[in-house]
Amino acid sequence: MGLLHLLTLALPLLHLPTPTLSLRIACSQQWVEHTPLVYAARNFYNPAAASSDTATITNGGVPNLSSDRSIDLAANAETQGLKNYARNKNIRLIGILVEVTYRLVAHKGAGINTLADLRGKRIGTIAGTSAEVFVRQLLATAGLAQGDYTTVNGNVCMKAPCAADTFPAQFSGRRIDAFGVWETSVELGIQAVGEGDVVVFKNASVYREVYSLYSTQEKLRDAGTRQRIVQFVRALNQTYEVFKRPTEAVYSMVGQTVNVDVPVLKNVWEDHVWGPGSLGKDLVDFLEREDQYLARTDRRQAFTRAELEQFVDTSVYEEAMRG
Ligand SMILES: *[C@@H]1O[C@H](CO)[C@@H](O)[C@H](O)[C@H]1NC(C)=O
Ligand SMILES: *[C@@H]1O[C@H](CO)[C@@H](O)[C@H](O)[C@H]1NC(C)=O
Ligand SMILES: *[C@@H]1O[C@H](CO)[C@@H](O)[C@H](O)[C@H]1NC(C)=O
């Protein structure tokens, strides 16, 4: 083969992008839940000190794992995890970032003192999300079926003043009698109306958001990617310790990252149990109960126990903790 021929063959290679060793993580960057990813990437993720490996967070979520092969990890509540697993059986839940007890706030002035009093009321929540799962499952414990109350869509608000189409504004304007969604909206709703005039319901055993870390079977089979993911999970493990005993600097970093006022953030912090939680039988039990509900609303077959056990892959976390 002549030299010219060799060059011609090699030339296209020169135009290939240099292989990047950065981990790409897709998640919604608006919520308190995702902030351990930011903290871990900035402070602890350092897979090879001499290299320039980084972890980059981009907007998105679990669906990106199926649509964009450059995405290695994603974070979302278990609800989106299960919905996407129905479309792509290669998705794996590999860790828990935070478990959050969602809250539902209601107007005492509307005659609401117990969950059963929500019969016939207008309740704000976001259809198709973990918030709706929470509201419906919580009300079901008081014997209320879906037709016993009206759900009203709205937007979340992370910082006052809240726009008219957000739940805290709908709630203080009495356009809804109650609402249930992730924080900090509920806290802002309580503050807008005043603690004395509202009643707050929550029950972590009925519903808690299990905000999790996901990857795919393909990514986890690739030795290099897996090693970076394991290293990132170690960085998260260090982050949880920091988040469990937050300093003012941590509150301030989280507040700035998601544009939340620190006093509001402090009020909701106790409802956040920072990972890794349990990836064991109780998680699979929890997912199985939620999947029964999702399968009905999404009109699909519920997953078998074996499928749910396959969805939760504990091996990455175990590998990370072996050090
Ligand atoms: C993730 O998916 C969303 C919705 O399809 C899209 O808008 C976004 O650009 C994707 N992000 C990445 C990093 O691929
Ligand atoms: C939470 O829900 C469970 C299951 O319905 C129930 O047994 C328990 O009493 C509830 N806890 C509270 C504090 O209401
Ligand atoms: C995980 O975090 C715990 C608590 O900080 C720590 O004791 C342990 O060494 C960490 N494990 C690894 C592998 O970093």
Side-chain angles (χ1 to χ4, degrees), residues 213-228:
L213 189 66
Y214 305 86
S215 189
T216 62
Q217 221 185 352
E218 294 85 353
K219 293 283 179 182
L220 297 173
R221 270 199 203 126
D222 179 272
T225 307
R226 184 180 180 99
Q227 203 230 324
R228 285 190 289 279

Side-chain angles (χ1 to χ4, degrees), residues 50-288:
S51 85
S52 55
D53 287 13
T54 51
T56 310
I57 299 170
T58 64
N59 250 319
V62 209
N64 298 91
L65 285 172
S66 307
S67 62
D68 180 346
R69 289 191 37 194
S70 79
I71 300 294
D72 305 297
L73 291 168
N76 256 137
E78 79 296 338
T79 305
Q80 300 311 320
L82 287 167
K83 281 173 178 278
N84 282 277
Y85 186 52
R87 297 190 271 268
N88 179 356
K89 284 281 164 32
N90 291 339
I91 291 172
R92 295 290 176 270
L93 187 164
I94 62 169
I96 296 173
L97 286 163
V98 60
E99 294 180 61
V100 194
T101 311
Y102 279 4
R103 300 186 295 169
L104 185 148
V105 60
H107 273 290
K108 278 187 186 164
I112 301 163
N113 294 297
T114 68
L115 279 175
D117 297 332
L118 285 157
R119 183 180 295 277
K121 302 296 187 196
R122 290 168 57 78
I123 305 171
T125 196
I126 303 178
T129 69
S130 53
E132 184 189 14
V133 176
F134 158 65
V135 167
R136 300 221 184 270
Q137 293 196 342
L138 187 67
L139 293 185
T141 65
L144 298 189
Q146 300 204 3
D148 292 334
Y149 52 91
T150 307
T151 54
V152 179
N153 260 307
N155 288 323
V156 295
C157 174
M158 297 297 282
K159 186 188 177 99
C162 294
D165 61 354
T166 65
F167 294 124
Q170 292 182 352
F171 183 63
S172 62
R174 301 296 288 263
R175 282 174 281 141
I176 51 179
D177 303 301
F179 72 96
V181 73
W182 49 89
E183 303 292 346
T184 49
S185 288
V186 177
E187 180 63 24
L188 292 170
I190 296 169
Q191 292 187 2
V193 171
E195 250 177 86
D197 293 323
V198 300
V199 51
V200 178
F201 303 100
K202 61 179 177 180
N203 187 331
S205 69
V206 173
Y207 186 81
R208 61 185 186 279
E209 176 193 33
V210 183
Y211 186 87
S212 305
L213 189 66
Y214 305 86
S215 189
T216 62
Q217 221 185 352
E218 294 85 353
K219 293 283 179 182
L220 297 173
R221 270 199 203 126
D222 179 272
T225 307
R226 184 180 180 99
Q227 203 230 324
R228 285 190 289 279
I229 292 175
V230 163
Q231 200 61 33
F232 191 76
V233 168
R234 272 187 206 125
L236 281 171
N237 179 58
Q238 286 173 277
T239 302
Y240 302 143
E241 285 310 300
V242 174
F243 275 43
K244 279 175 191 164
R245 279 174 279 281
T247 58
E248 288 301 322
V250 170
Y251 284 129
S252 147
M253 173 267 171
V254 172
Q256 276 171 24
T257 303
V258 291
N259 196 25
V260 162
D261 290 323
V262 167
V264 173
L265 183 63
K266 286 182 173 175
N267 284 350
V268 302
W269 200 265
E270 66 167 26
D271 283 319
H272 293 70
V273 179
W274 304 101
S278 159
L279 297 176
K281 179 180 174 298
D282 49 340
L283 175 63
V284 180
D285 290 344
F286 180 82
L287 293 175
E288 193 169 30

Side-chain angles (χ1 to χ4, degrees), residues 9-26:
L9 278 177
L11 264 179
L13 292 176
L14 298 178
H15 295 287
L16 285 178
T18 40
T20 164
L21 292 178
S22 78
L23 269 182
R24 282 167 55 82
I25 309 168

